[in-house]
Amino acid sequence: MPEPAHSAPCLATIEAVPAGERTVVTCRGEFDIGAQELRSELRAVLDRSATGVDLDLDEVRFCDCGGLNVLLSLRREALDQGKTVTVRAYSPVVGRLLELTGARELFVTEYSARPEVPGAVEERPQPMDVDQELRLEVDQLRRAMRTRPAIDVARGIVMASFGLSAGDAWTVLVTASQNTNTKLHELARELMGALQGAAVPEQVRQQMAAAVAKVREHGPDLQRPDRRASPSRAA
């Protein structure tokens, strides 16, 4: 039977500050499915800006695919308006998620100036041309098509092995991926290999066990991947 749907509280906040033709949006807290409540507020900020929004995610201490979808939705709306959404700073947790999902490139914009350099002139972010945008989107879709089947199988393995729900199993996979600095699809292949008798690295086994224990301890309404900051940003 499908799990009952329930609304999640919004544990994130945003603060918008105009900066010339753009608006800097500082995000704080936890960007999960509850962050859907911020969509209308973010859309209003985008509408008021002339050329787009620059996101500061350095104070986001947790972010999952639900939160990432909010940011991707804002980016799509900006493209429809001929504007851009960039990420000017992010926490290790956000950086890791952007790397795991391959979404980091979608928010990259080069700046030629830094505020601390006297006399420097900041270049306004320019939207991609249509061909480049389409190529990037296709690359992302192809990557997802290649890796998603393995990830789905790995989630099924975790569900069957530990008696967890689909949501719990996803939390365990993301937590172990973050804490072992292993790409999600690589972790999935390691778990699939275990079915054929291959050894799972000790660090992965330890982090998987810890993640399962944490999920069971907190229960279904408090499942969150480990919020401890990763020691390094995504390259």
Side-chain angles (χ1 to χ4, degrees):
M1 295 178 61
E3 297 180 23
H6 63 284
S7 59
C10 181
L11 302 177
T13 61
I14 63 171
E15 178 183 359
V17 177
E21 295 184 331
R22 300 185 66 77
T23 300
V24 177
V25 177
T26 300
C27 304
R28 300 182 177 89
E30 301 178 8
F31 265 66
D32 53 13
I33 192 172
Q36 299 283 343
E37 296 182 14
L38 296 175
R39 277 191 170 185
S40 59
E41 189 174 351
L42 287 168
R43 188 182 304 114
V45 171
L46 176 65
D47 291 342
R48 291 194 299 268
S49 70
T51 63
V53 170
D54 300 320
L55 299 171
D56 184 341
L57 307 175
D58 194 46
E59 296 184 49
V60 175
R61 61 180 181 270
F62 172 79
C63 187
D64 64 7
C65 290
L68 179 59
N69 282 336
V70 173
L71 303 181
L72 291 173
S73 175
L74 179 66
R75 175 181 176 275
R76 286 192 295 269
E77 292 177 8
L79 291 174
D80 289 341
Q81 299 179 28
K83 302 176 182 180
T84 59
V85 174
T86 73
V87 173
R88 60 189 295 172
Y90 51 77
S91 65
V93 169
V94 175
R96 183 61 178 154
L97 180 62
L98 293 176
E99 181 185 12
L100 286 169
T101 58
R104 186 162 59 93
E105 293 87 349
L106 298 176
F107 295 98
V108 169
T109 301
E110 295 296 333
Y111 289 86
S112 63
R114 295 176 298 173
E116 65 270 18
V117 179
V121 178
E122 182 178 345
E123 287 187 355
R124 188 174 70 188
Q126 300 295 324
M128 297 180 183
D129 62 69
V130 175
D131 287 342
Q132 182 182 3
E133 179 67 30
L134 288 175
R135 285 195 297 270
L136 187 55
E137 293 285 358
V138 169
D139 287 343
Q140 298 300 324
L141 288 171
R142 286 175 175 170
R143 181 184 303 181
M145 290 173 64
R146 289 195 303 268
T147 60
R148 186 59 193 239
I151 295 172
D152 285 342
V153 171
R155 181 163 60 171
I157 293 172
V158 175
M159 291 170 64
S161 299
F162 300 101
L164 300 178
S165 67
D168 292 335
W170 174 253
T171 299
V172 168
L173 287 174
V174 173
T175 300
S177 172
Q178 291 177 345
N179 292 346
T180 60
N181 199 32
T182 305
K183 290 183 182 295
L184 196 56
H185 66 90
E186 293 174 356
L187 176 64
R189 290 195 180 99
E190 288 179 346
L191 295 180
M192 292 170 63
L195 295 180
Q196 307 297 325
V200 177
E202 178 64 23
Q203 184 185 21
V204 172
R205 291 198 296 110
Q206 291 178 354
Q207 290 298 332
M208 290 281 294
V212 169
K214 190 166 186 176
V215 164
R216 288 174 172 168
E217 175 186 355
H218 290 301
D221 292 330
L222 297 176
Q223 296 166 15
R224 295 287 187 274
D226 196 338
R227 296 187 180 91
R228 292 175 298 175
S230 171
S232 61
R233 288 181 182 267

